[in-house]
Amino acid sequence: MRRPPLPKLLSRLPVDGYILALVGTVALAALLPARGPAATAAEGASTGAVALLFFLYGARLSTREAMDGLRHWRLHLTVLACTFVAFPVLGLAARVLVPEILPPTLYTGLLFLCLVPSTVQSSIAFTSIARGNVAAAICAGSFSSLVGIVVTPLLAGLVLHGGSGGFSARSLVSIVCQLLLPFLAGQLLRRWVGNWLIRHKKALGYVDRGSILLVVYAAFSAGMVQGIWHQVSALRLLCLLGVEAVLLAVMLSATWYGSKKLGFHRADRIAITFAGSKKSLAAGLPMASVLFGAQAGLAALPLMVFHQMQLMVCAVLAKRFAASTASTASTASAAPEAAVAGAAAGSAAVTEAAGDLAAGGARR
């Protein structure tokens, strides 16, 4: 019997293939960390990769589509409140776990995780699978990414100043130069480069992924050279896993039942649940490299763990929501909500348009 090709075997695994690439990059940094001139070159390449990523983010984001989405302002404000208010509050509350359960270094990474913006691509994908409001998920994810470029560094300045890798005026200048200015340049040049980016969307996805892998290698390599990994034990990592599982469960419950209390239809609730409960790896890793420097690898570890966890859990939820919506749509009593969900699920063109708005090539 012929063996299935390796890509098909990987696709059957419950682990995101890109996470496997990230783990491989971390292993490479552990075995062969960059030192001396190689470290300087890796740091320079990482800086350029971060600027390129945010230039592409800005060039992909359709301002017109984002402005059109303002009509559903209640939904977007709800998602932003979950991302930049509820998450940070939970992160600050987790301070009681230090140092008995989480060491200060991992807690700083957990708190940073709570500050980064929501995902775009995976929010859209899961909302579509669950037959929710896809258009709302597109706009909500895009708004979150846009707002996060400014709000995440500001929140970091407020809540991380006492943690490792603290926030300073130098960090603020780095954020402006490496993140905000390239993003604005992408927005300004979108008129001329937007169509070219659409035509080469697949190839640029590899550029995005490769850039993030480069950032991860530089960050973890610097951490290895400085010996920061000796600060974390296997038991503490297991504790981190448990804390993040609770964090994800709380946010999924809050977004689903909270949006019901606010009077949103089922299709909108699905979009709020997926956009408001997740965090962006593609946006968070470059920000961590700018904010934390040599300690970026350890600070980004909670985000990498949370990313994989949210993908696995939300994939199961999306299928269950889809089954529940299909069952509800078969009854006459559920006609209003089923019509909304069915319209969203049938909007394949809107889903395809997500490529313009997606912030990064990683499957976030």
Short mmCIF file of all heavy atoms in Angstrom, two decimals, residues 140-170:
data_model
loop_
_atom_site.label_atom_id
_atom_site.label_comp_id
_atom_site.label_asym_id
_atom_site.label_seq_id
_atom_site.Cartn_x
_atom_site.Cartn_y
_atom_site.Cartn_z
N ALA A 140 -14.57 43.21 11.93
CA ALA A 140 -14.16 43.19 13.33
C ALA A 140 -12.69 42.85 13.47
O ALA A 140 -11.95 43.48 14.23
CB ALA A 140 -15.02 42.20 14.11
N GLY A 141 -12.24 41.83 12.73
CA GLY A 141 -10.83 41.48 12.78
C GLY A 141 -9.93 42.58 12.24
O GLY A 141 -8.85 42.84 12.78
N SER A 142 -10.38 43.23 11.18
CA SER A 142 -9.59 44.31 10.59
C SER A 142 -9.50 45.51 11.53
O SER A 142 -8.43 46.10 11.70
CB SER A 142 -10.22 44.75 9.26
OG SER A 142 -10.27 43.67 8.36
N PHE A 143 -10.63 45.88 12.16
CA PHE A 143 -10.61 46.97 13.12
C PHE A 143 -9.68 46.66 14.28
O PHE A 143 -8.92 47.52 14.74
CB PHE A 143 -12.02 47.24 13.65
CG PHE A 143 -12.93 47.92 12.67
CD1 PHE A 143 -14.29 47.68 12.70
CD2 PHE A 143 -12.42 48.78 11.72
CE1 PHE A 143 -15.14 48.30 11.79
CE2 PHE A 143 -13.26 49.40 10.80
CZ PHE A 143 -14.62 49.17 10.84
N SER A 144 -9.76 45.42 14.77
CA SER A 144 -8.92 45.04 15.90
C SER A 144 -7.44 45.15 15.54
O SER A 144 -6.64 45.65 16.33
CB SER A 144 -9.26 43.61 16.33
OG SER A 144 -8.46 43.21 17.42
N SER A 145 -7.07 44.68 14.35
CA SER A 145 -5.67 44.77 13.92
C SER A 145 -5.23 46.22 13.79
O SER A 145 -4.12 46.59 14.19
CB SER A 145 -5.49 44.05 12.59
OG SER A 145 -5.76 42.67 12.72
N LEU A 146 -6.10 47.04 13.21
CA LEU A 146 -5.78 48.45 13.02
C LEU A 146 -5.62 49.17 14.35
O LEU A 146 -4.65 49.89 14.60
CB LEU A 146 -6.88 49.12 12.18
CG LEU A 146 -6.71 50.60 11.86
CD1 LEU A 146 -5.44 50.84 11.06
CD2 LEU A 146 -7.92 51.12 11.10
N VAL A 147 -6.58 48.97 15.25
CA VAL A 147 -6.53 49.61 16.56
C VAL A 147 -5.35 49.09 17.37
O VAL A 147 -4.69 49.85 18.10
CB VAL A 147 -7.85 49.37 17.32
CG1 VAL A 147 -7.75 49.84 18.76
CG2 VAL A 147 -9.00 50.09 16.61
N GLY A 148 -5.05 47.80 17.22
CA GLY A 148 -3.98 47.20 18.01
C GLY A 148 -2.61 47.78 17.74
O GLY A 148 -1.74 47.78 18.62
N ILE A 149 -2.38 48.26 16.52
CA ILE A 149 -1.08 48.83 16.20
C ILE A 149 -0.77 50.03 17.10
O ILE A 149 0.38 50.28 17.47
CB ILE A 149 -1.05 49.26 14.71
CG1 ILE A 149 -1.09 48.01 13.83
CG2 ILE A 149 0.20 50.08 14.40
CD1 ILE A 149 -1.16 48.32 12.36
N VAL A 150 -1.80 50.74 17.51
CA VAL A 150 -1.62 51.89 18.41
C VAL A 150 -1.89 51.52 19.86
O VAL A 150 -1.12 51.86 20.77
CB VAL A 150 -2.54 53.04 17.98
CG1 VAL A 150 -2.43 54.22 18.94
CG2 VAL A 150 -2.22 53.49 16.56
N VAL A 151 -2.99 50.78 20.10
CA VAL A 151 -3.44 50.52 21.47
C VAL A 151 -2.53 49.53 22.19
O VAL A 151 -2.23 49.71 23.38
CB VAL A 151 -4.90 50.01 21.46
CG1 VAL A 151 -5.31 49.53 22.85
CG2 VAL A 151 -5.83 51.12 21.00
N THR A 152 -2.08 48.48 21.50
CA THR A 152 -1.24 47.48 22.18
C THR A 152 0.03 48.09 22.77
O THR A 152 0.36 47.85 23.94
CB THR A 152 -0.89 46.32 21.22
OG1 THR A 152 -2.11 45.64 20.86
CG2 THR A 152 0.05 45.33 21.87
N PRO A 153 0.80 48.89 22.02
CA PRO A 153 1.98 49.52 22.64
C PRO A 153 1.63 50.46 23.79
O PRO A 153 2.35 50.52 24.79
CB PRO A 153 2.63 50.30 21.48
CG PRO A 153 2.15 49.60 20.26
CD PRO A 153 0.75 49.16 20.57
N LEU A 154 0.50 51.18 23.66
CA LEU A 154 0.10 52.09 24.74
C LEU A 154 -0.27 51.30 26.00
O LEU A 154 0.12 51.67 27.12
CB LEU A 154 -1.07 52.96 24.29
CG LEU A 154 -0.77 53.99 23.19
CD1 LEU A 154 -2.02 54.76 22.81
CD2 LEU A 154 0.33 54.95 23.66
N LEU A 155 -1.03 50.22 25.83
CA LEU A 155 -1.39 49.38 26.97
C LEU A 155 -0.14 48.75 27.58
O LEU A 155 -0.02 48.62 28.80
CB LEU A 155 -2.38 48.29 26.55
CG LEU A 155 -3.80 48.75 26.24
CD1 LEU A 155 -4.64 47.57 25.75
CD2 LEU A 155 -4.45 49.39 27.46
N ALA A 156 0.80 48.35 26.71
CA ALA A 156 2.04 47.77 27.21
C ALA A 156 2.79 48.78 28.07
O ALA A 156 3.39 48.43 29.09
CB ALA A 156 2.91 47.31 26.04
N GLY A 157 2.78 50.04 27.64
CA GLY A 157 3.43 51.07 28.42
C GLY A 157 2.80 51.28 29.79
O GLY A 157 3.46 51.61 30.76
N LEU A 158 1.48 51.01 29.88
CA LEU A 158 0.77 51.20 31.14
C LEU A 158 0.93 50.03 32.10
O LEU A 158 1.07 50.22 33.31
CB LEU A 158 -0.72 51.43 30.88
CG LEU A 158 -1.11 52.75 30.19
CD1 LEU A 158 -2.59 52.75 29.86
CD2 LEU A 158 -0.77 53.93 31.09
N VAL A 159 0.92 48.80 31.57
CA VAL A 159 0.85 47.63 32.45
C VAL A 159 2.13 46.81 32.50
O VAL A 159 2.28 45.97 33.39
CB VAL A 159 -0.33 46.71 32.05
CG1 VAL A 159 -1.63 47.48 32.06
CG2 VAL A 159 -0.09 46.07 30.69
N LEU A 160 3.05 47.02 31.56
CA LEU A 160 4.27 46.22 31.55
C LEU A 160 5.49 46.97 32.06
O LEU A 160 6.59 46.42 32.05
CB LEU A 160 4.57 45.71 30.13
CG LEU A 160 3.58 44.73 29.53
CD1 LEU A 160 4.01 44.36 28.11
CD2 LEU A 160 3.49 43.47 30.38
N HIS A 161 5.33 48.19 32.49
CA HIS A 161 6.50 49.00 32.86
C HIS A 161 7.26 48.40 34.03
O HIS A 161 8.46 48.63 34.17
CB HIS A 161 6.07 50.43 33.22
CG HIS A 161 5.05 50.50 34.31
ND1 HIS A 161 5.38 50.44 35.64
CD2 HIS A 161 3.69 50.60 34.25
CE1 HIS A 161 4.27 50.52 36.37
NE2 HIS A 161 3.24 50.62 35.56
N GLY A 162 6.56 47.61 34.84
CA GLY A 162 7.25 47.02 35.98
C GLY A 162 7.73 45.62 35.71
O GLY A 162 8.40 45.01 36.54
N GLY A 163 7.41 45.06 34.51
CA GLY A 163 7.80 43.69 34.21
C GLY A 163 9.11 43.64 33.50
O GLY A 163 9.78 44.62 33.24
N SER A 164 9.52 42.42 33.19
CA SER A 164 10.78 42.23 32.47
C SER A 164 10.66 42.80 31.08
O SER A 164 9.62 42.73 30.45
CB SER A 164 11.13 40.75 32.42
OG SER A 164 10.10 40.01 31.81
N GLY A 165 11.76 43.34 30.60
CA GLY A 165 11.75 43.92 29.26
C GLY A 165 10.88 45.15 29.19
O GLY A 165 10.26 45.42 28.18
N GLY A 166 10.81 45.90 30.28
CA GLY A 166 9.88 47.00 30.43
C GLY A 166 9.76 47.94 29.24
O GLY A 166 10.49 47.88 28.29
N PHE A 167 8.80 48.83 29.31
CA PHE A 167 8.48 49.75 28.24
C PHE A 167 9.17 51.07 28.50
O PHE A 167 9.22 51.56 29.62
CB PHE A 167 6.96 49.93 28.20
CG PHE A 167 6.48 50.59 26.95
CD1 PHE A 167 6.34 49.88 25.78
CD2 PHE A 167 6.17 51.94 26.95
CE1 PHE A 167 5.87 50.49 24.64
CE2 PHE A 167 5.70 52.55 25.81
CZ PHE A 167 5.55 51.83 24.65
N SER A 168 9.72 51.66 27.45
CA SER A 168 10.46 52.91 27.61
C SER A 168 10.22 53.78 26.39
O SER A 168 9.56 53.39 25.43
CB SER A 168 11.96 52.61 27.74
OG SER A 168 12.44 51.98 26.56
N ALA A 169 10.80 55.00 26.45
CA ALA A 169 10.68 55.91 25.30
C ALA A 169 11.34 55.29 24.07
O ALA A 169 10.87 55.47 22.94
CB ALA A 169 11.32 57.24 25.65
N ARG A 170 12.42 54.56 24.29
CA ARG A 170 13.09 53.89 23.17
C ARG A 170 12.18 52.85 22.54
O ARG A 170 12.15 52.70 21.32
CB ARG A 170 14.38 53.24 23.67
CG ARG A 170 15.18 52.57 22.54
CD ARG A 170 16.47 52.00 23.08
NE ARG A 170 17.24 51.36 22.02
CZ ARG A 170 18.41 50.76 22.21
NH1 ARG A 170 18.93 50.72 23.43
NH2 ARG A 170 19.04 50.19 21.20
#
